[in-house]
């Protein structure tokens, strides 16, 4: 969970840095392509606030947007475009740590050839493990073959192609040395593949000798040793017990990067999950849930005890999709299982129950869309936003993202939350939590319906046993969405209008534009940031099925595009949009989108992933993927230009139907 929270807090920003740095590296190679000037050796790169500074060993000359001269050049990450047709010029670039000013430093291992990790043995070993992990995952290291000896068994699942782990006395080291020697016989000025050996074995002579023999204009080989005698010509990386790293040859001192065995195993497990994502059921609310939550799952669908399976033939008016299952499968991008799962028949008591448990739904929805309403609103189905009409104190004005998150935390605990729980989630003291909740209470003000505070606290109602905080009459779009979906399903065929209204609440990717390093508490509970996009996709899928079967192409496209924007990596919505485009007469555009976002989708450096069984079935039924791939391609970007408002750049990461 710690790794998960770290990835959530820092991952998006790190991803931008990684993608920007990869593009900058490729841009250097693209500029050198076709010239007779060899690439200048790169020593290191420093990253700070979206800017990369490149430190070269020889003078270089780079054009705008690069800035600098001689050995030192700067570029804003994201300001240059990468080139997929060039090899990354410096594939052994790895991060080594942050200096006292917060700058992240990366060092190019290749020109060093031999690197000895000395000093604190635990710090050296953790750093060696970190280097192995980076070389297995960095996009610019795709052609680096890394072998570890006496290290990294827990990293084995990171990448079985780029990273090979061995026991310390594994005789396989002789085969690795033979590979290096053989590579030296066929290498040109640009080595391919590059090879890194990370070892705790003190007998490095053969490997060092082989690396020198392989060197033409460039080494192409680096040897990193730890826990062993240092070769005389090795570059020293010195580790202190306090966790500092010093590289004398580079005049560099940083807080050392590193992975202990447990952290490495967790990282490998997370990476492994992204390769094959299992399909899981949507969870239900707890047994203590009341109101509309007592009859739905957490995505707003009716619990199974309030539904019955679809019959053979037409399902009738008690189902959201009343026609025969075959009618929808023939008209849309769907399977029999989709219809059976998403549109069962609602029992008669379901509609009665939802009307009794949620009588204010229509009024609340009207208030949400009424720009003059005085009720506060919390938008989570897109960029997080709060609309309130109470007292806007200076603290709220200066730190609005923080207080918006605090309100969301209380609002997403409908049974109330204690100040102790708030303090733990936000890593603050209880007095600070009470003070901050007081500011939010003032911000929301009093309920125009009851003239009571929107946020109730201990003492407001002494007759109750409640000793915390809860929010009342706050309109939350996530809850309105689920309430509409539940009522729509309970009403059967007449409930499609509720599902359409629910989709109108969606303004983008749910839980978007979160506060930097905040919201980690989402990982402790229902994980709504993962669950709600699935709810949007399933709801849109039902609407698209109904609309295509009835011939309402405009509604079908609007719904499919809403789902694509809400869940950019979902394959269900991509197939829905392709079918709608085809029905509208844009068959070429649909085929292009399928090629880029389904057939050839790539989540990493590896070839396109195999299609899920559901996708294969739908593709075969529609005869997709059989036409030439030449039309409408943009020669500059390699992507198709579809006349769609949806963001069509996502790669499917969620197995269809999950």
């Amino acid at each position: 969970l710690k790794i998960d929270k770290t990835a959530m807090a820092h991952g998006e920003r790190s991803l931008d840095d990684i993608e920007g740095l990869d593009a900058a590296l490729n841009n250097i190679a693209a500029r050198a392509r076709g010239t007779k000037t060899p690439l200048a050796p790169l020593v290191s790169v420093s990253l700070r606030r979206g800017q990369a500074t490149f430190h070269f060993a020889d003078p270089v000359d780079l054009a705008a947007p690069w800035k600098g001269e001689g050995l030192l050049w700067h570029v804003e990450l994201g300001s240059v475009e990468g080139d997929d047709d060039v090899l990354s010029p410096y594939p052994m670039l790895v991060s080594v740590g942050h200096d006292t000013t917060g700058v992240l430093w990366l060092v190019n291992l290749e020109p060093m050839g031999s690197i000895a990790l000395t000093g604190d043995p635990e710090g050296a070993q953790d750093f060696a493990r970190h280097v192995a992990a980076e070389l297995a995952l960095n996009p610019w290291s795709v052609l680096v073959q890394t072998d570890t000896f006496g290290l990294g068994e827990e990293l084995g699942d990171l990448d079985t192609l780029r990273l090979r782990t061995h026991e310390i006395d594994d005789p396989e080291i002789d085969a690795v040395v033979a590979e290096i020697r053989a590579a030296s016989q066929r290498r040109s000025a640009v080595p391919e593949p590059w090879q890194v050996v990370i070892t705790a074995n003190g007998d490095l002579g053969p490997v060092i000798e082989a690396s020198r023999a392989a060197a033409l204009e460039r080494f192409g080989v680096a040897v990193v040793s730890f826990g062993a005698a240092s070769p005389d010509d090795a570059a020293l990386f010195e580790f202190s017990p306090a966790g500092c790293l010093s590289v004398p040859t580079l005049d560099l001192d940083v807080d050392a990067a590193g992975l202990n065995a447990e952290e490495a195993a967790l990282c490998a497990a997370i990476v492994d999950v992204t390769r094959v994502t299992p399909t899981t059921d949507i969870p239900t609310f707890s047994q203590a849930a009341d109101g509309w939550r007592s009859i739905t799952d957490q995505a707003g669908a009716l619990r199974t005890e309030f539904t019955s399976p679809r019959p053979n033939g037409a399902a009738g008016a008690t189902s959201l999709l009343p026609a025969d299952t075959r009618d929808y499968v023939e008209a849309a991008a769907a399977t029999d299982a989709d219809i059976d799962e998403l549109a069962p028949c609602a029992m008669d008591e379901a509609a009665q129950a939802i009307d009794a448990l949620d009588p204010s739904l229509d009024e609340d929805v009207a208030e949400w869309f009424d720009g003059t309403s005085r009720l506060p609103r919390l938008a989570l189905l897109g960029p997080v936003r709060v609309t309130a009409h109470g007292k806007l104190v200076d603290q709220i004005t200066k730190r609005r993202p923080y207080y918006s998150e605090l309100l969301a935390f209380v609002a997403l605990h409908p049974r109330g939350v204690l100040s102790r729980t708030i303090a733990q989630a936000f890593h603050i003291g209880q007095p600070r939590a009470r003070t901050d909740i007081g500011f939010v209470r003032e911000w929301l003000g009093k309920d125009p319906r009851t003239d009571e505070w929107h946020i109730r606290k201990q003492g407001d109602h002494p007759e109750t046993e409640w000793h915390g905080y809860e929010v009342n009459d706050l309109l939350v779009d996530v809850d309105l969405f689920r309430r509409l979906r539940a009522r729509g399903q309970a009403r059967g065929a007449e409930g499609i209008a509720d599902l359409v209204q629910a989709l109108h609440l969606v303004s983008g990717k749910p839980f978007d534009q979160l506060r930097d390093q905040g919201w980690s508490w989402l990982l402790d509970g229902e994980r709504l940031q993962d669950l709600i996009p699935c709810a949007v996709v399933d709801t849109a899928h039902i609407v698209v099925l109904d609309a295509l079967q009835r011939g309402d192409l405009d509604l079908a496209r609007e719904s499919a595009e809403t789902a694509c924007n809400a869940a950019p990596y979902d394959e269900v919505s991509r197939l829905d949009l392709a079918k709608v485009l085809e029905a509208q007469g844009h068959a070429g555009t649909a085929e292009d989108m399928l090629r880029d976002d389904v057939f050839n989708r790539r989540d990493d450096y590896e070839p396109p992933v195999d299609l899920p069984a559901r996708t294969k079935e739908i593709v075969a039924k529609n005869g997709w993927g059989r036409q030439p791939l030449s039309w409408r391609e943009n020669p500059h970007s390699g992507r198709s230009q579809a006349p769609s408002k949806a963001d069509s750049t996502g790669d499917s990461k969620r197995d269809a139907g999950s």
Side-chain angles (χ1 to χ4, degrees):
L1 186 59
K2 290 187 294 184
I3 296 292
D4 206 2
K5 287 188 174 183
T6 300
M8 181 175 182
H10 302 281
E12 186 170 353
R13 183 174 57 186
S14 299
L15 176 62
D16 291 340
D17 287 344
I18 291 171
E19 291 180 342
L21 180 56
D22 187 39
L25 291 167
N26 281 4
N27 183 260
I28 294 173
R31 291 173 184 271
R33 181 175 52 187
T35 70
K36 296 182 179 180
T37 304
L39 283 166
L42 177 68
V43 177
S44 62
V45 177
S46 54
L47 297 181
R48 181 183 179 89
R49 295 179 180 176
Q51 183 183 78
T53 300
F54 284 66
H55 305 255
F56 293 94
D58 297 328
V60 298
D61 186 17
L62 298 173
W66 292 85
K67 299 177 181 179
E69 60 180 353
L71 306 180
L72 203 62
W73 288 83
H74 316 275
V75 68
E76 294 292 331
L77 297 181
S79 65
V80 294
E81 293 187 3
D83 189 332
D84 292 337
D85 292 331
V86 298
L87 296 176
S88 183
Y90 308 109
M92 296 187 194
L93 187 68
V94 296
S95 65
V96 297
H98 291 83
D99 65 20
T100 56
T101 66
V103 172
L104 174 66
W105 284 86
L106 298 94
V107 170
N108 188 12
L109 303 181
E110 182 186 358
M112 295 182 174
S114 177
I115 300 99
L117 311 183
T118 65
D120 180 60
E122 184 177 352
Q125 188 172 26
D126 287 353
F127 180 80
R129 198 180 283 111
H130 161 80
V131 169
E134 283 219 351
L135 291 173
L137 295 176
N138 284 341
W140 52 83
S141 304
V142 64
L143 292 179
V144 175
Q145 174 66 63
T146 303
D147 287 272
T148 68
F149 291 87
L151 173 87
E153 180 181 359
E154 58 280 346
L155 292 172
D157 290 336
L158 270 182
D159 191 300
T160 56
L161 178 64
R162 290 162 63 175
L163 176 63
R164 299 180 299 199
T165 61
H166 313 271
E167 297 293 336
I168 189 170
D169 55 354
D170 192 334
E172 186 69 17
I173 194 169
D174 295 330
V176 172
V177 172
E179 284 182 8
I180 294 174
R181 287 196 174 112
S184 69
Q185 304 300 317
R186 61 177 183 269
R187 276 184 176 142
S188 63
V190 179
E192 182 186 343
W194 288 262
Q195 292 175 276
V196 174
V197 178
I198 303 175
T199 178
N201 194 322
D203 184 15
L204 298 176
V207 181
I208 298 296
E209 177 187 347
S211 70
R212 299 304 183 188
L216 295 175
E217 294 183 22
R218 302 174 63 173
F219 278 163
V221 175
V223 177
V224 180
S225 62
F226 65 98
S230 304
D232 293 338
D233 59 349
L236 298 182
F237 282 40
E238 301 171 354
F239 295 85
S240 75
C244 297
L245 165 62
S246 176
V247 186
T249 57
L250 301 181
D251 193 24
L252 182 63
D253 293 284
V254 295
D255 290 331
L259 285 174
N260 61 37
E262 180 184 7
E263 291 168 340
L266 289 170
C267 289
I270 289 175
V271 171
D272 190 54
V273 165
T274 66
R275 295 192 181 105
V276 180
T277 305
T279 299
T280 58
D281 293 332
I282 298 292
T284 58
F285 290 99
S286 68
Q287 293 295 325
D290 53 16
W292 58 271
R293 294 178 178 82
S294 64
I295 65 170
T296 77
D297 64 21
Q298 291 185 23
L302 293 177
R303 293 188 181 185
T304 55
E305 56 264 36
F306 291 93
T307 66
S308 60
R310 294 171 63 88
N312 294 327
T318 59
S319 171
L320 283 163
L321 302 175
D324 192 300
T325 296
R326 290 173 298 179
D327 295 340
Y328 300 104
V329 173
E330 291 173 2
T335 65
D336 290 2
D338 291 353
I339 287 84
D340 290 342
E341 180 178 353
L342 295 177
C345 296
M347 294 183 176
D348 292 340
E349 53 265 35
Q352 299 171 2
I354 198 69
D355 287 342
L357 294 170
D358 195 6
S360 66
L361 176 55
D362 285 328
E363 181 182 356
D364 289 346
V365 171
E367 291 280 357
W368 178 273
F369 290 104
D370 182 1
T372 65
S373 172
R374 301 297 295 174
L375 288 178
R377 296 192 289 274
L378 171 62
L380 300 173
L381 294 178
V384 173
R385 296 288 184 271
V386 174
T387 302
H389 305 282
K391 182 180 180 181
L392 190 61
V393 298
D394 288 343
Q395 286 83 353
I396 298 289
T397 302
K398 295 176 180 177
R399 297 173 176 84
R400 194 181 187 106
Y402 167 80
Y403 288 105
S404 297
E405 179 187 353
L406 184 57
L407 174 60
F409 183 80
V410 179
L412 294 177
H413 287 79
R415 298 183 65 83
V417 63
L418 298 171
S419 60
R420 178 178 65 254
T421 306
I422 296 171
Q424 292 171 347
F426 285 78
H427 309 290
I428 56 178
Q430 284 186 245
R432 177 78 260 174
R434 297 188 187 100
T435 300
D436 289 343
I437 283 292
F439 292 142
V440 177
R441 177 176 159 106
E442 293 283 342
W443 188 20
L444 296 191
K446 291 191 173 182
D447 190 339
R449 292 171 171 173
T450 64
D451 200 36
E452 294 186 351
W453 292 99
H454 281 288
I455 292 184
R456 290 172 49 181
K457 63 179 181 179
Q458 180 183 4
D460 286 348
H461 295 270
E463 71 278 5
T464 69
E465 296 181 358
W466 173 239
H467 299 290
Y469 302 93
E470 63 182 358
V471 61
N472 293 280
D473 255 359
L474 170 69
L475 301 177
V476 184
D477 56 0
V478 163
D479 287 344
L480 291 175
F481 182 97
R482 294 186 286 189
R483 292 161 66 188
L484 284 166
R485 183 185 180 189
R487 189 177 71 177
Q489 186 178 0
R491 289 179 170 180
E494 295 181 356
I496 285 290
D498 279 340
L499 270 61
V500 173
Q501 184 74 290
L503 292 175
H504 288 161
L505 294 165
V506 182
S507 60
K509 183 180 178 181
F511 294 91
D512 198 13
Q513 299 180 18
L514 300 182
R515 180 175 69 93
D516 286 346
Q517 302 183 35
W519 296 82
S520 61
W521 50 268
L522 282 171
L523 300 172
D524 295 326
E526 301 163 349
R527 299 183 72 100
L528 286 177
Q529 77 281 10
D530 299 323
L531 186 153
I532 294 302
C534 299
V536 174
V537 169
D538 287 345
T539 301
H541 190 43
I542 296 169
V543 175
V544 171
L545 289 169
D546 174 74
L548 284 176
Q549 194 270 337
R550 294 185 294 101
D552 188 345
L553 301 185
D554 289 340
L555 176 59
R557 180 163 177 172
E558 177 187 354
S559 302
E561 289 180 342
T562 296
C564 286
N565 288 328
Y569 304 110
D570 192 274
E571 200 159 278
V572 174
S573 54
R574 292 290 169 207
L575 296 176
D576 276 345
L577 183 56
K579 187 63 179 180
V580 174
L581 289 170
E582 184 181 68
Q584 290 181 321
H586 304 300
T589 301
E591 195 75 23
D592 281 351
M593 190 187 76
L594 289 167
R595 176 197 60 195
D596 292 341
D597 298 329
V598 178
F599 304 147
N600 294 325
R601 76 183 191 273
R602 296 173 60 189
D603 300 330
D604 47 34
Y605 67 94
E606 293 181 341
V609 298
D610 192 25
L611 298 181
R614 175 187 181 275
T615 300
K616 289 181 179 178
E617 179 181 345
I618 291 172
V619 166
K621 176 176 69 71
N622 286 278
W624 288 334
R626 301 174 184 172
Q627 301 181 36
L629 302 181
S630 59
W631 59 64
R632 297 178 186 268
E633 187 169 295
N634 182 332
H636 301 291
S637 68
R639 297 193 52 80
S640 306
Q641 305 303 301
S644 168
K645 294 179 290 185
D647 169 19
S648 300
T649 62
D651 298 323
S652 177
K653 293 183 180 175
R654 183 171 70 95
D655 194 0
S658 65

mmCIF file with all atom_site columns, all heavy atoms in Angstrom, residues 310-316 322-326:
data_model
loop_
_atom_site.group_PDB
_atom_site.id
_atom_site.type_symbol
_atom_site.label_atom_id
_atom_site.label_alt_id
_atom_site.label_comp_id
_atom_site.label_asym_id
_atom_site.label_entity_id
_atom_site.label_seq_id
_atom_site.pdbx_PDB_ins_code
_atom_site.Cartn_x
_atom_site.Cartn_y
_atom_site.Cartn_z
_atom_site.occupancy
_atom_site.B_iso_or_equiv
_atom_site.pdbx_formal_charge
_atom_site.auth_seq_id
_atom_site.auth_comp_id
_atom_site.auth_asym_id
_atom_site.auth_atom_id
_atom_site.pdbx_PDB_model_num
ATOM 1  N N   . ARG A 1 310 ? -32.382 -12.348 -17.523 1.00 0.00 ? 310 ARG A N   1
ATOM 2  C CA  . ARG A 1 310 ? -33.162 -12.095 -18.718 1.00 0.00 ? 310 ARG A CA  1
ATOM 3  C C   . ARG A 1 310 ? -33.729 -13.413 -19.257 1.00 0.00 ? 310 ARG A C   1
ATOM 4  O O   . ARG A 1 310 ? -33.041 -14.439 -19.230 1.00 0.00 ? 310 ARG A O   1
ATOM 5  C CB  . ARG A 1 310 ? -32.293 -11.460 -19.816 1.00 0.00 ? 310 ARG A CB  1
ATOM 6  C CG  . ARG A 1 310 ? -31.783 -10.077 -19.488 1.00 0.00 ? 310 ARG A CG  1
ATOM 7  C CD  . ARG A 1 310 ? -30.767 -9.615  -20.520 1.00 0.00 ? 310 ARG A CD  1
ATOM 8  N NE  . ARG A 1 310 ? -31.354 -9.485  -21.848 1.00 0.00 ? 310 ARG A NE  1
ATOM 9  C CZ  . ARG A 1 310 ? -31.948 -8.398  -22.318 1.00 0.00 ? 310 ARG A CZ  1
ATOM 10 N NH1 . ARG A 1 310 ? -32.034 -7.319  -21.545 1.00 0.00 ? 310 ARG A NH1 1
ATOM 11 N NH2 . ARG A 1 310 ? -32.442 -8.356  -23.542 1.00 0.00 ? 310 ARG A NH2 1
ATOM 12 N N   . PRO A 1 311 ? -34.949 -13.397 -19.759 1.00 0.00 ? 311 PRO A N   1
ATOM 13 C CA  . PRO A 1 311 ? -35.519 -14.614 -20.345 1.00 0.00 ? 311 PRO A CA  1
ATOM 14 C C   . PRO A 1 311 ? -35.024 -14.805 -21.771 1.00 0.00 ? 311 PRO A C   1
ATOM 15 O O   . PRO A 1 311 ? -34.368 -13.932 -22.350 1.00 0.00 ? 311 PRO A O   1
ATOM 16 C CB  . PRO A 1 311 ? -37.022 -14.321 -20.320 1.00 0.00 ? 311 PRO A CB  1
ATOM 17 C CG  . PRO A 1 311 ? -37.094 -12.835 -20.513 1.00 0.00 ? 311 PRO A CG  1
ATOM 18 C CD  . PRO A 1 311 ? -35.904 -12.273 -19.772 1.00 0.00 ? 311 PRO A CD  1
ATOM 19 N N   . ASN A 1 312 ? -35.313 -15.936 -22.362 1.00 0.00 ? 312 ASN A N   1
ATOM 20 C CA  . ASN A 1 312 ? -35.062 -16.120 -23.789 1.00 0.00 ? 312 ASN A CA  1
ATOM 21 C C   . ASN A 1 312 ? -35.993 -15.206 -24.575 1.00 0.00 ? 312 ASN A C   1
ATOM 22 O O   . ASN A 1 312 ? -37.143 -14.981 -24.196 1.00 0.00 ? 312 ASN A O   1
ATOM 23 C CB  . ASN A 1 312 ? -35.300 -17.578 -24.189 1.00 0.00 ? 312 ASN A CB  1
ATOM 24 C CG  . ASN A 1 312 ? -34.293 -18.518 -23.551 1.00 0.00 ? 312 ASN A CG  1
ATOM 25 O OD1 . ASN A 1 312 ? -33.138 -18.134 -23.352 1.00 0.00 ? 312 ASN A OD1 1
ATOM 26 N ND2 . ASN A 1 312 ? -34.715 -19.731 -23.237 1.00 0.00 ? 312 ASN A ND2 1
ATOM 27 N N   . GLY A 1 313 ? -35.488 -14.643 -25.657 1.00 0.00 ? 313 GLY A N   1
ATOM 28 C CA  . GLY A 1 313 ? -36.300 -13.718 -26.440 1.00 0.00 ? 313 GLY A CA  1
ATOM 29 C C   . GLY A 1 313 ? -36.276 -12.327 -25.847 1.00 0.00 ? 313 GLY A C   1
ATOM 30 O O   . GLY A 1 313 ? -35.332 -11.924 -25.173 1.00 0.00 ? 313 GLY A O   1
ATOM 31 N N   . ALA A 1 314 ? -37.352 -11.579 -26.088 1.00 0.00 ? 314 ALA A N   1
ATOM 32 C CA  . ALA A 1 314 ? -37.431 -10.205 -25.584 1.00 0.00 ? 314 ALA A CA  1
ATOM 33 C C   . ALA A 1 314 ? -37.481 -10.204 -24.057 1.00 0.00 ? 314 ALA A C   1
ATOM 34 O O   . ALA A 1 314 ? -38.176 -11.017 -23.441 1.00 0.00 ? 314 ALA A O   1
ATOM 35 C CB  . ALA A 1 314 ? -38.648 -9.502  -26.156 1.00 0.00 ? 314 ALA A CB  1
ATOM 36 N N   . ALA A 1 315 ? -36.743 -9.256  -23.457 1.00 0.00 ? 315 ALA A N   1
ATOM 37 C CA  . ALA A 1 315 ? -36.701 -9.182  -21.994 1.00 0.00 ? 315 ALA A CA  1
ATOM 38 C C   . ALA A 1 315 ? -37.910 -8.475  -21.424 1.00 0.00 ? 315 ALA A C   1
ATOM 39 O O   . ALA A 1 315 ? -38.284 -8.693  -20.271 1.00 0.00 ? 315 ALA A O   1
ATOM 40 C CB  . ALA A 1 315 ? -35.425 -8.476  -21.552 1.00 0.00 ? 315 ALA A CB  1
ATOM 41 N N   . GLY A 1 316 ? -38.524 -7.567  -22.184 1.00 0.00 ? 316 GLY A N   1
ATOM 42 C CA  . GLY A 1 316 ? -39.692 -6.861  -21.716 1.00 0.00 ? 316 GLY A CA  1
ATOM 43 C C   . GLY A 1 316 ? -39.362 -5.581  -20.978 1.00 0.00 ? 316 GLY A C   1
ATOM 44 O O   . GLY A 1 316 ? -38.198 -5.197  -20.808 1.00 0.00 ? 316 GLY A O   1
ATOM 45 N N   . PRO A 1 322 ? -35.028 -3.813  -23.428 1.00 0.00 ? 322 PRO A N   1
ATOM 46 C CA  . PRO A 1 322 ? -36.200 -4.691  -23.452 1.00 0.00 ? 322 PRO A CA  1
ATOM 47 C C   . PRO A 1 322 ? -36.264 -5.648  -24.635 1.00 0.00 ? 322 PRO A C   1
ATOM 48 O O   . PRO A 1 322 ? -36.975 -6.656  -24.571 1.00 0.00 ? 322 PRO A O   1
ATOM 49 C CB  . PRO A 1 322 ? -37.371 -3.702  -23.509 1.00 0.00 ? 322 PRO A CB  1
ATOM 50 C CG  . PRO A 1 322 ? -36.798 -2.485  -24.183 1.00 0.00 ? 322 PRO A CG  1
ATOM 51 C CD  . PRO A 1 322 ? -35.380 -2.411  -23.723 1.00 0.00 ? 322 PRO A CD  1
ATOM 52 N N   . ALA A 1 323 ? -35.551 -5.374  -25.718 1.00 0.00 ? 323 ALA A N   1
ATOM 53 C CA  . ALA A 1 323 ? -35.642 -6.217  -26.908 1.00 0.00 ? 323 ALA A CA  1
ATOM 54 C C   . ALA A 1 323 ? -34.856 -7.515  -26.710 1.00 0.00 ? 323 ALA A C   1
ATOM 55 O O   . ALA A 1 323 ? -34.227 -7.742  -25.672 1.00 0.00 ? 323 ALA A O   1
ATOM 56 C CB  . ALA A 1 323 ? -35.133 -5.455  -28.126 1.00 0.00 ? 323 ALA A CB  1
ATOM 57 N N   . ASP A 1 324 ? -34.885 -8.347  -27.732 1.00 0.00 ? 324 ASP A N   1
ATOM 58 C CA  . ASP A 1 324 ? -34.145 -9.600  -27.716 1.00 0.00 ? 324 ASP A CA  1
ATOM 59 C C   . ASP A 1 324 ? -32.642 -9.300  -27.659 1.00 0.00 ? 324 ASP A C   1
ATOM 60 O O   . ASP A 1 324 ? -32.150 -8.375  -28.307 1.00 0.00 ? 324 ASP A O   1
ATOM 61 C CB  . ASP A 1 324 ? -34.472 -10.407 -28.971 1.00 0.00 ? 324 ASP A CB  1
ATOM 62 C CG  . ASP A 1 324 ? -33.969 -11.843 -28.880 1.00 0.00 ? 324 ASP A CG  1
ATOM 63 O OD1 . ASP A 1 324 ? -32.746 -12.031 -28.730 1.00 0.00 ? 324 ASP A OD1 1
ATOM 64 O OD2 . ASP A 1 324 ? -34.789 -12.774 -28.997 1.00 0.00 ? 324 ASP A OD2 1
ATOM 65 N N   . THR A 1 325 ? -31.928 -10.086 -26.888 1.00 0.00 ? 325 THR A N   1
ATOM 66 C CA  . THR A 1 325 ? -30.479 -9.893  -26.762 1.00 0.00 ? 325 THR A CA  1
ATOM 67 C C   . THR A 1 325 ? -29.797 -9.857  -28.119 1.00 0.00 ? 325 THR A C   1
ATOM 68 O O   . THR A 1 325 ? -28.891 -9.050  -28.364 1.00 0.00 ? 325 THR A O   1
ATOM 69 C CB  . THR A 1 325 ? -29.869 -11.014 -25.898 1.00 0.00 ? 325 THR A CB  1
ATOM 70 O OG1 . THR A 1 325 ? -30.406 -10.931 -24.571 1.00 0.00 ? 325 THR A OG1 1
ATOM 71 C CG2 . THR A 1 325 ? -28.348 -10.909 -25.851 1.00 0.00 ? 325 THR A CG2 1
ATOM 72 N N   . ARG A 1 326 ? -30.237 -10.700 -29.053 1.00 0.00 ? 326 ARG A N   1
ATOM 73 C CA  . ARG A 1 326 ? -29.606 -10.756 -30.379 1.00 0.00 ? 326 ARG A CA  1
ATOM 74 C C   . ARG A 1 326 ? -29.733 -9.440  -31.124 1.00 0.00 ? 326 ARG A C   1
ATOM 75 O O   . ARG A 1 326 ? -28.853 -9.082  -31.916 1.00 0.00 ? 326 ARG A O   1
ATOM 76 C CB  . ARG A 1 326 ? -30.221 -11.891 -31.200 1.00 0.00 ? 326 ARG A CB  1
ATOM 77 C CG  . ARG A 1 326 ? -29.858 -13.292 -30.705 1.00 0.00 ? 326 ARG A CG  1
ATOM 78 C CD  . ARG A 1 326 ? -30.618 -14.352 -31.445 1.00 0.00 ? 326 ARG A CD  1
ATOM 79 N NE  . ARG A 1 326 ? -32.060 -14.217 -31.238 1.00 0.00 ? 326 ARG A NE  1
ATOM 80 C CZ  . ARG A 1 326 ? -32.978 -15.008 -31.801 1.00 0.00 ? 326 ARG A CZ  1
ATOM 81 N NH1 . ARG A 1 326 ? -32.599 -15.979 -32.626 1.00 0.00 ? 326 ARG A NH1 1
ATOM 82 N NH2 . ARG A 1 326 ? -34.258 -14.841 -31.549 1.00 0.00 ? 326 ARG A NH2 1
#
